Amino acid sequence: GAGVSQSPRYKVAKRGQDVALRCDPISGHVSLFWYQQALGQGPEFLTYFQNEAQLDKSGLPSDRFFAERPEGSVSTLKIQRTQQEDSAVYLCASSLTRGPPNEKLFFGSGTQLSVL
Amino acid sequence: GQNIDQPTEMTATEGAIVQINCTYQTSGFNGLFWYQQHAGEAPTFLSYNVLDGLEEKGRFSSFLSRSKGYSYLLLKELQMKDSASYLCAVRDGGATNKLIFGTGTLLAVQP
């Protein structure tokens, strides 16, 4: 596709449910990032993939959060046993390489997760 | 630690000029980005600075002073469609080369 695509656009979960959020990056993009954006805040880094390798997961807030990118393209962010504090917009971003410093990230519109 | 500060909100008048400031203290630095984000939409790239000085791109300009840990985004000839959140982000230069974002500045342009 022309841009980064995320689905679902909105997700409502009951506390304790598991959710899976999908990201389709721009075709051919090597780098993929997940960010969490709380209301009125800037995006907070969660995790980074270079192709299928998860090179940085330092931003994942707990072991309930898990991300994968098994074939180096589509990525899934999974949250187990959701809590109310998980309510946020989850943004996915991709870039062509992890090369030059001026290489920009292209963001998707995000998945808005509401945990009741 | 990582600290990026921006004003939370600003208001300006259509046709005017507005300057949005950003100060940063980060463990690494490999450039500074500005992104625009309309409500409910994806952040979109506006500018990148890695050297000191002013970068101009149409109605938008961005300035960087690395010694002061300071940047600003200048928006000229404001239009109503410029009402959005403006995000300052530092590329940390580590193995991930990830962007670290500030909280964003919500700009309201009034007629």
Side-chain angles (χ1 to χ4, degrees):
Chain A
V4 179
S5 177
Q6 293 188 246
S7 61
R9 186 72 178 89
Y10 302 94
K11 177 68 179 177
V12 178
K14 292 183 179 178
R15 192 174 56 180
Q17 279 185 332
D18 298 349
V19 298
L21 314 179
R22 178 188 170 104
C23 172
D24 280 89
I26 295 172
S27 179
H29 276 200
V30 166
S31 292
L32 186 146
F33 298 81
W34 283 98
Y35 283 84
Q36 180 191 60
Q37 187 173 27
L39 188 63
Q41 301 295 312
E44 294 273 353
F45 170 78
L46 293 177
T47 188
Y48 165 70
F49 290 86
Q50 184 176 322
N51 295 308
E52 69 279 3
Q54 188 176 19
L55 299 186
D56 188 343
K57 52 183 181 179
S58 62
L60 296 177
S62 77
D63 58 8
R64 296 186 295 104
F65 287 70
F66 171 78
E68 61 183 4
R69 193 186 185 198
E71 297 178 359
S73 54
V74 170
S75 177
T76 304
L77 177 67
K78 298 179 180 178
I79 309 173
Q80 297 176 323
R81 304 182 303 282
T82 53
Q83 304 293 316
Q84 285 186 324
E85 61 262 29
D86 300 334
S87 296
V89 175
Y90 291 85
L91 294 168
C92 176
S94 70
S95 64
L96 184 59
T97 71
R98 75 155 302 278
N102 63 341
E103 188 172 67
K104 57 192 176 192
L105 299 189
F106 294 86
F107 282 85
S109 297
T111 293
Q112 184 171 326
L113 173 65
S114 299
V115 181
L116 307 178
Chain B
Q2 319 281 37
N3 194 39
I4 301 175
D5 286 322
Q6 308 178 232
T8 305
E9 295 180 353
M10 298 183 72
T11 302
T13 304
E14 192 175 16
I17 299 173
V18 71
Q19 178 175 311
I20 302 174
N21 295 324
C22 171
T23 57
Y24 63 90
Q25 290 179 305
T26 55
S27 55
F29 181 84
N30 210 10
L32 188 143
F33 289 76
W34 285 94
Y35 276 79
Q36 180 192 59
Q37 186 178 27
H38 286 97
E41 297 184 10
T44 55
F45 170 81
L46 289 177
S47 69
Y48 171 77
N49 295 70
V50 69
L51 300 176
D52 288 356
L54 188 68
E55 294 280 344
E56 298 186 79
K57 190 186 298 183
R59 294 190 299 117
F60 292 8
S61 303
S62 56
F63 172 84
L64 176 67
S65 169
R66 288 173 298 173
S67 62
K68 295 181 179 178
Y70 168 69
S71 174
Y72 68 73
L73 180 69
L74 194 70
L75 291 75
K76 305 174 188 174
E77 301 168 14
L78 281 172
Q79 303 174 10
M80 298 298 290
K81 67 178 182 180
D82 297 329
S83 294
S85 182
Y86 291 85
L87 301 166
C88 173
V90 170
R91 178 151 259 160
D92 74 354
T96 303
N97 228 14
K98 62 182 177 287
L99 294 188
I100 303 165
F101 285 87
T103 56
T105 299
L106 185 60
L107 174 66
V109 179
Q110 299 179 338

